[in-house]
Every structure is written in C-alpha cells, then in structure tokens.
Amino acid sequence: MQQMSSAQHFCRPPMLDELDGPSPRRPATDQPMGGRRILDIIPENAGPRLVTAKGAVAHAVRPPGSQTLLTRNHVATVVLACSPGTTTRFGGGEQHRYDAYTGTLIVIPADVEVEMGWSAAREELLVAWKPESLHELAIKALDMGSAELRPSKGKVDPQALHMAELLKAELARGEPPNEAYVESLILLFGIHVLRSYSSVNMRQVPPKGGLSDYAARRVHEYLDEHFTRKLSVIELAAVCELSPGHFIHAFSKTFGQPPHQYLVNRRLAFAEKLLLETEMTIAEVAYLSGFSSQSHLTSAMRSHKRITPAKMRKQR
C-alpha cells in the first residue's frame, strides 16, 4: 500500500492484479511466483511477503500516509501495533474515523473501493485471496453454497490477531518461510473471515436492545483474554463495532451488569482462584489479576465479596 500524493487522489486507484496469471499490461515474465504483483502496492522495503497457491500474505511497516485501493481480490489487514488517527471509507460512503487498536481487522471485499489514511506509523499484516479461492473454501470447508463478504470498517478481532502474529513470525524468520505452513494459516484465516464477515453470519441486534449472539461471544472472549490489563469502553465497543453509549446499554442488557462491573467480577474470580490454589503473595495475586496494588484488590474484594484476600486464603 504505497503512500499517495495529493495529486494522485484524483487518479484512478491502483488495481490489485490477480494472484495467478499475467497482467495485460506486463508480460508473464514479470510475474515471479505466478502473481506476486498482488503485493506491489506495498513497497518491497516495507517488509517480507509470500504468494502461494492459496493466497498472498505480507508484513508491512509504513510511515503516516493514505491510499485509495480498488481490489480484484478479497483482502484483510490486521493492525499489529496501535495506530491512532485512522480513517476508512468504502465505496465513496461515509468516512469512518477511529483509533486502530492492536488487533483491528479491516476486510476489503473484491471490487470494492476503499480509501484509507493513517496519521501515525502503521504496522500491519495483509492477507489476500482470489474470489474463486474463498468461494471454493466456503463450499468445501463450511458447506456454504455462497458467501458474500461484507466490508469491515475496523474492529478488534483477537482471533485474526493471533493468526496474523503467527504469519508475521513465520515471515520474519531468518530463512525462507515454510510455504505449507503459511498456506495452512491463509486457509484458516479465510475460514475465519467467511464465518465472521460474510452474508451468512450477519446477525441483527436482538429487539430487546442487547448484543447479538455474535457480538456477545466476541466481547466475552476478548474480556477473557485481556481482563488483566486496563480496558476502555471505547476499546470494548470497537470489538462489537458499536458506539460507546450503545455498547454500554447493550452489554448491560445482555450480561445483567455494566462492563466495568463485569470486568471487576472477572478479575475477582481469577484472584480468588489464585488465592485458593497457589502460594503466591497477595501482592502477586493482585498484579496478575489486573489490580493496581494489594490494597486495590483488598478494597474490591471487601466491597464485592464481603471478605478480604487474607481471610479468603485462611479458608483454603
């Protein structure tokens, strides 16, 4: 994804060529590995890349910039380091402005124009699939007759982040990446994208105002993985692709308590497990459970459990 000058914004956006086969503008001899030019929009010095029979993958670190793309292939990018001041616009629609937290996934379906901008250095992992490849995957792996990808404007996706980090690690090895391993991850990534961002899995918010089953599962998994660190409502709302105000209301309806209370209870449950099953000091338990100090844990446990950590440990 090359940075564009202001004058280039008035030109036709660059096209991502097919993963396989020569381009009509260049002879086939310019096509190492079949369709390497799928990744030509990312400068060679931005990071390593690999094109396989199942798709293409690249790891890139780029300075602040912007770009307009029109892709003939399905593309997904995962932000690997927080990138504030990000903008996304699909098909000339409304511009979506947000801080791209680590794990933010952007899905760009084939033949959909997208304008992207980032005001800070951006590290990302990009995966691309030919439409026929994802279609075949939908039939063989998911028993779907058809699945239309929907644009994703930037939501935190822990599962996509995990696969992106595995791909980055393989590309960053001091030797050529294992193509079979990369292909397997590309296929797994494709299955995840089909399950989560295609027409067969677009669930509506329940009429009572709670989270959809899909959003509830996503935020529950995200909290389960990240409850020990500081979390903001904005970050959790981004996981569900909702505004913070809507998220708080929908979360409370679904889980019976606001996000902050749910998070405190999750931390307390983990702290109780450590107190009863390990010999760690109370200060260590507090740190590992996400509390800022031993006194913070003691205060929270006394308020919500009517007991102190020391007394709980004595009951072991």
Side-chain angles (χ1 to χ4, degrees), residues 120-147:
R122 180 182 181 91
E123 180 183 7
E124 62 188 341
L125 192 289
L126 179 148
V127 182
W129 306 266
K130 291 186 297 183
E132 55 267 33
S133 295
L134 271 195
H135 178 69
E136 181 181 1
L137 191 60
I139 294 173
K140 292 185 176 180
L142 301 175
D143 196 26
M144 296 178 179
S146 63

Short mmCIF file of all heavy atoms in Angstrom, two decimals, residues 120-147:
data_model
loop_
_atom_site.label_atom_id
_atom_site.label_comp_id
_atom_site.label_asym_id
_atom_site.label_seq_id
_atom_site.Cartn_x
_atom_site.Cartn_y
_atom_site.Cartn_z
N ALA A 120 -0.24 8.03 11.97
CA ALA A 120 0.96 7.58 12.68
C ALA A 120 1.53 6.37 11.95
O ALA A 120 0.88 5.79 11.09
CB ALA A 120 0.62 7.23 14.13
N ALA A 121 2.75 6.01 12.29
CA ALA A 121 3.36 4.83 11.68
C ALA A 121 2.44 3.62 11.86
O ALA A 121 1.80 3.47 12.89
CB ALA A 121 4.72 4.55 12.31
N ARG A 122 2.36 2.79 10.84
CA ARG A 122 1.39 1.69 10.83
C ARG A 122 2.10 0.36 10.56
O ARG A 122 2.82 0.22 9.56
CB ARG A 122 0.34 1.95 9.75
CG ARG A 122 -0.75 0.88 9.62
CD ARG A 122 -1.68 1.25 8.48
NE ARG A 122 -2.76 0.31 8.30
CZ ARG A 122 -3.94 0.40 8.88
NH1 ARG A 122 -4.19 1.40 9.70
NH2 ARG A 122 -4.89 -0.48 8.66
N GLU A 123 1.89 -0.61 11.44
CA GLU A 123 2.39 -1.96 11.23
C GLU A 123 1.19 -2.86 11.02
O GLU A 123 0.26 -2.86 11.83
CB GLU A 123 3.20 -2.46 12.42
CG GLU A 123 3.74 -3.87 12.21
CD GLU A 123 4.49 -4.44 13.41
OE1 GLU A 123 4.49 -3.77 14.47
OE2 GLU A 123 5.06 -5.53 13.29
N GLU A 124 1.19 -3.64 9.94
CA GLU A 124 0.04 -4.46 9.63
C GLU A 124 0.45 -5.76 8.95
O GLU A 124 1.55 -5.88 8.41
CB GLU A 124 -0.93 -3.70 8.72
CG GLU A 124 -0.34 -3.31 7.38
CD GLU A 124 -1.24 -2.39 6.59
OE1 GLU A 124 -2.44 -2.32 6.88
OE2 GLU A 124 -0.73 -1.72 5.66
N LEU A 125 -0.45 -6.71 9.01
CA LEU A 125 -0.30 -7.98 8.30
C LEU A 125 -1.43 -8.06 7.30
O LEU A 125 -2.61 -7.94 7.67
CB LEU A 125 -0.35 -9.15 9.30
CG LEU A 125 0.07 -10.56 8.86
CD1 LEU A 125 -0.92 -11.19 7.90
CD2 LEU A 125 1.46 -10.54 8.25
N LEU A 126 -1.10 -8.23 6.04
CA LEU A 126 -2.10 -8.25 4.96
C LEU A 126 -2.22 -9.65 4.40
O LEU A 126 -1.22 -10.30 4.13
CB LEU A 126 -1.71 -7.26 3.87
CG LEU A 126 -2.61 -7.15 2.64
CD1 LEU A 126 -2.58 -5.72 2.11
CD2 LEU A 126 -2.16 -8.11 1.53
N VAL A 127 -3.47 -10.10 4.20
CA VAL A 127 -3.73 -11.40 3.57
C VAL A 127 -4.70 -11.16 2.40
O VAL A 127 -5.66 -10.39 2.54
CB VAL A 127 -4.36 -12.41 4.55
CG1 VAL A 127 -4.57 -13.76 3.87
CG2 VAL A 127 -3.47 -12.58 5.78
N ALA A 128 -4.44 -11.80 1.26
CA ALA A 128 -5.31 -11.64 0.09
C ALA A 128 -5.68 -13.01 -0.47
O ALA A 128 -4.87 -13.93 -0.46
CB ALA A 128 -4.60 -10.81 -0.98
N TRP A 129 -6.93 -13.12 -0.93
CA TRP A 129 -7.42 -14.36 -1.55
C TRP A 129 -8.11 -14.02 -2.86
O TRP A 129 -8.81 -13.02 -2.96
CB TRP A 129 -8.45 -15.07 -0.67
CG TRP A 129 -8.07 -15.36 0.72
CD1 TRP A 129 -7.54 -16.52 1.22
CD2 TRP A 129 -8.23 -14.49 1.85
NE1 TRP A 129 -7.37 -16.43 2.58
CE2 TRP A 129 -7.77 -15.20 2.99
CE3 TRP A 129 -8.71 -13.19 2.02
CZ2 TRP A 129 -7.78 -14.65 4.27
CZ3 TRP A 129 -8.70 -12.63 3.28
CH2 TRP A 129 -8.25 -13.35 4.39
N LYS A 130 -7.96 -14.87 -3.86
CA LYS A 130 -8.76 -14.72 -5.06
C LYS A 130 -10.22 -15.05 -4.72
O LYS A 130 -10.48 -15.93 -3.89
CB LYS A 130 -8.27 -15.67 -6.16
CG LYS A 130 -6.90 -15.33 -6.72
CD LYS A 130 -6.55 -16.22 -7.90
CE LYS A 130 -6.45 -17.68 -7.47
NZ LYS A 130 -6.05 -18.55 -8.61
N PRO A 131 -11.20 -14.39 -5.34
CA PRO A 131 -12.60 -14.70 -5.05
C PRO A 131 -12.94 -16.17 -5.23
O PRO A 131 -13.66 -16.75 -4.41
CB PRO A 131 -13.36 -13.81 -6.06
CG PRO A 131 -12.45 -12.66 -6.28
CD PRO A 131 -11.06 -13.24 -6.24
N GLU A 132 -12.40 -16.79 -6.28
CA GLU A 132 -12.72 -18.21 -6.51
C GLU A 132 -12.12 -19.10 -5.42
O GLU A 132 -12.68 -20.16 -5.09
CB GLU A 132 -12.24 -18.67 -7.89
CG GLU A 132 -10.78 -18.43 -8.17
CD GLU A 132 -10.52 -17.11 -8.88
OE1 GLU A 132 -11.25 -16.14 -8.63
OE2 GLU A 132 -9.58 -17.08 -9.69
N SER A 133 -11.01 -18.66 -4.83
CA SER A 133 -10.40 -19.45 -3.76
C SER A 133 -11.27 -19.44 -2.51
O SER A 133 -11.49 -20.49 -1.88
CB SER A 133 -9.01 -18.90 -3.43
OG SER A 133 -8.13 -19.06 -4.52
N LEU A 134 -11.78 -18.25 -2.14
CA LEU A 134 -12.66 -18.19 -0.97
C LEU A 134 -13.98 -18.89 -1.24
O LEU A 134 -14.57 -19.50 -0.35
CB LEU A 134 -12.91 -16.73 -0.56
CG LEU A 134 -11.93 -16.10 0.42
CD1 LEU A 134 -12.51 -14.81 0.99
CD2 LEU A 134 -11.56 -17.03 1.56
N HIS A 135 -14.46 -18.79 -2.48
CA HIS A 135 -15.71 -19.48 -2.83
C HIS A 135 -15.54 -20.98 -2.67
O HIS A 135 -16.41 -21.67 -2.11
CB HIS A 135 -16.09 -19.14 -4.27
CG HIS A 135 -17.34 -19.83 -4.75
ND1 HIS A 135 -18.59 -19.52 -4.25
CD2 HIS A 135 -17.52 -20.82 -5.65
CE1 HIS A 135 -19.49 -20.30 -4.83
NE2 HIS A 135 -18.87 -21.10 -5.69
N GLU A 136 -14.43 -21.51 -3.14
CA GLU A 136 -14.15 -22.94 -3.01
C GLU A 136 -14.01 -23.33 -1.54
O GLU A 136 -14.50 -24.38 -1.11
CB GLU A 136 -12.87 -23.28 -3.76
CG GLU A 136 -12.49 -24.76 -3.71
CD GLU A 136 -11.20 -25.05 -4.45
OE1 GLU A 136 -10.58 -24.11 -4.98
OE2 GLU A 136 -10.80 -26.23 -4.49
N LEU A 137 -13.38 -22.47 -0.76
CA LEU A 137 -13.21 -22.72 0.66
C LEU A 137 -14.56 -22.74 1.38
O LEU A 137 -14.81 -23.56 2.27
CB LEU A 137 -12.31 -21.65 1.28
CG LEU A 137 -11.81 -21.88 2.71
CD1 LEU A 137 -10.98 -23.15 2.79
CD2 LEU A 137 -10.99 -20.68 3.17
N ALA A 138 -15.45 -21.83 0.99
CA ALA A 138 -16.77 -21.78 1.59
C ALA A 138 -17.55 -23.07 1.35
O ALA A 138 -18.25 -23.58 2.23
CB ALA A 138 -17.55 -20.59 1.04
N ILE A 139 -17.40 -23.62 0.15
CA ILE A 139 -18.12 -24.85 -0.20
C ILE A 139 -17.51 -26.06 0.51
O ILE A 139 -18.22 -26.86 1.13
CB ILE A 139 -18.10 -25.06 -1.73
CG1 ILE A 139 -18.90 -23.95 -2.42
CG2 ILE A 139 -18.67 -26.43 -2.09
CD1 ILE A 139 -18.81 -23.99 -3.93
N LYS A 140 -16.19 -26.18 0.43
CA LYS A 140 -15.54 -27.39 0.93
C LYS A 140 -15.40 -27.42 2.45
O LYS A 140 -15.57 -28.47 3.08
CB LYS A 140 -14.16 -27.54 0.29
CG LYS A 140 -14.21 -27.85 -1.20
CD LYS A 140 -12.82 -28.10 -1.76
CE LYS A 140 -12.88 -28.50 -3.23
NZ LYS A 140 -11.51 -28.73 -3.78
N ALA A 141 -15.08 -26.27 3.06
CA ALA A 141 -14.80 -26.26 4.49
C ALA A 141 -16.01 -25.92 5.34
O ALA A 141 -16.12 -26.36 6.49
CB ALA A 141 -13.66 -25.28 4.79
N LEU A 142 -16.94 -25.12 4.80
CA LEU A 142 -18.06 -24.63 5.60
C LEU A 142 -19.41 -25.06 5.07
O LEU A 142 -20.44 -24.69 5.64
CB LEU A 142 -17.99 -23.10 5.69
CG LEU A 142 -16.71 -22.53 6.31
CD1 LEU A 142 -16.71 -21.01 6.23
CD2 LEU A 142 -16.57 -22.99 7.74
N ASP A 143 -19.42 -25.79 3.95
CA ASP A 143 -20.67 -26.27 3.36
C ASP A 143 -21.61 -25.12 3.06
O ASP A 143 -22.82 -25.20 3.26
CB ASP A 143 -21.34 -27.28 4.30
CG ASP A 143 -22.42 -28.10 3.58
OD1 ASP A 143 -22.32 -28.25 2.36
OD2 ASP A 143 -23.36 -28.57 4.27
N MET A 144 -21.05 -24.01 2.57
CA MET A 144 -21.85 -22.85 2.17
C MET A 144 -22.04 -22.87 0.66
O MET A 144 -21.09 -23.10 -0.08
CB MET A 144 -21.12 -21.54 2.53
CG MET A 144 -20.89 -21.30 4.01
SD MET A 144 -19.97 -19.74 4.22
CE MET A 144 -19.85 -19.67 6.00
N GLY A 145 -23.26 -22.61 0.22
CA GLY A 145 -23.47 -22.51 -1.22
C GLY A 145 -22.85 -21.25 -1.77
O GLY A 145 -22.26 -21.25 -2.85
N SER A 146 -22.95 -20.15 -1.03
CA SER A 146 -22.35 -18.89 -1.42
C SER A 146 -22.17 -18.04 -0.17
O SER A 146 -22.87 -18.22 0.81
CB SER A 146 -23.24 -18.14 -2.43
OG SER A 146 -24.48 -17.81 -1.83
N ALA A 147 -21.23 -17.14 -0.22
CA ALA A 147 -20.97 -16.28 0.92
C ALA A 147 -20.40 -14.96 0.40
O ALA A 147 -19.32 -14.93 -0.18
CB ALA A 147 -20.00 -16.93 1.89
#
